[in-house]
Amino acid sequence: MPKRRKLTMRQSRQLLRLSADGIGVRDIATMLGIARSTVQDNIERATAAGLSGRYQRS
């Protein structure tokens, strides 16, 4: 099994923002230069943790 790639915080934030904007996994992977599986895995883990790409200001 391949080694899990760690994303930088900037890449993680950008990935979540793009996903929240409705950009597809394939397009996000191309924009960030990472594998589609990495995008899918990070979106799933962020969703499980209750994170999204939108900031809520109070």
Side-chain angles (χ1 to χ4, degrees), residues 19-54:
S19 178
D21 287 342
I23 307 298
V25 171
R26 180 175 289 164
D27 292 331
I28 294 171
T30 301
M31 288 177 198
L32 299 180
I34 58 178
R36 287 189 312 249
S37 60
T38 302
V39 174
Q40 291 170 327
D41 184 49
N42 280 275
I43 290 172
E44 288 172 7
R45 289 190 291 141
T47 301
L51 300 174
S52 72
R54 295 283 167 225

Side-chain angles (χ1 to χ4, degrees), residues 9-18 20-21 50-58:
M9 184 59 68
R10 182 179 188 160
Q11 286 175 314
S12 295
R13 285 193 311 260
Q14 192 172 14
L15 184 152
L16 291 175
R17 281 192 207 118
L18 291 169
D21 287 342
L51 300 174
S52 72
R54 295 283 167 225
Y55 294 105
Q56 297 175 350
R57 296 182 187 215
S58 50

